[in-house]
Amino acid sequence: MLSSNLAIRQAYNTLLSTIQYPASVFVPVYFQQIPTDSAPSIYITFGQIRNNDDSNKSASVTQTSVTVSIFTNSPQYNDGVAVDTVANEVLNRLYLNPQFKIPLSSSFFQVIGTQLNSDQTNDWSQDQQNIYIDRIMVFEHTIFQNVS
């Protein structure tokens, strides 16, 4: 059995880094955490990659879940439109339809199924003048390992 984490990270970064909001402005995408010298008003993080062995006698398979978080903030008022618009674009790239399979760069791995395990919009919060709204989505992929 091999670890698919790097292949998943590369695929998520490639797919999510094409999201724009508003039009023609790319939403920054980070693995695990935002750099300390950055303060965008909207950004995406992904991480918490978890693998569970689901192999049988004839195939190596994992159930691999990944958490995608969308963070927004705006001064004085945040209507949530940005977080929902970006979340819709995340869904379009990772779970377009039940048959959609994200492409992995490694020839050793193949996504054979995807599902959305959870999708939660957190209540707004406030820090001084900024209003924050976050959305957390957890995707699970069934990954076949092509190893002999």
Side-chain angles (χ1 to χ4, degrees):
M1 178 158 300
L2 300 172
S3 172
S4 61
N5 286 16
L6 183 57
I8 286 286
R9 283 179 58 180
Q10 291 169 337
Y12 267 65
N13 192 63
T14 298
L15 293 167
L16 297 177
S17 65
T18 62
I19 295 174
Q20 298 179 14
Y21 184 86
S24 76
V25 177
F26 288 99
V27 176
V29 176
Y30 306 102
F31 178 69
Q32 299 280 19
Q33 64 182 356
I34 184 171
T36 56
D37 62 346
S38 185
S41 62
I42 186 167
Y43 62 94
I44 298 168
T45 64
F46 68 95
Q48 294 181 338
I49 301 172
R50 296 166 299 283
N51 296 288
N52 291 306
D53 185 17
D54 197 20
S55 301
N56 56 42
K57 290 182 181 181
S58 61
S60 293
V61 178
T62 59
Q63 298 296 332
T64 301
S65 60
V66 182
T67 300
V68 176
S69 301
I70 304 159
F71 299 95
T72 64
N73 72 76
S74 60
Q76 299 180 349
Y77 180 72
N78 186 337
D79 61 8
V81 171
V83 76
D84 288 336
T85 302
V86 171
N88 191 53
E89 291 303 314
V90 169
L91 286 167
N92 283 336
R93 283 159 178 77
L94 300 178
Y95 192 47
L96 185 59
N97 59 56
Q99 293 76 37
F100 183 73
K101 297 166 181 64
I102 64 170
L104 299 180
S105 60
S106 171
S107 61
F108 294 111
F109 305 109
Q110 179 183 7
V111 173
I112 56 176
T114 298
Q115 67 182 25
L116 178 63
N117 278 355
S118 67
D119 182 356
Q120 174 182 334
T121 303
N122 292 330
D123 288 337
W124 65 275
S125 61
Q126 184 173 355
D127 178 19
Q128 298 174 11
Q129 296 267 328
N130 286 331
I131 306 295
Y132 300 88
I133 298 179
D134 309 329
R135 189 161 168 181
I136 300 167
M137 308 165 93
V138 179
F139 295 89
E140 184 170 302
H141 307 285
T142 302
I143 300 177
F144 171 76
Q145 297 194 14
N146 186 22
V147 292
S148 307

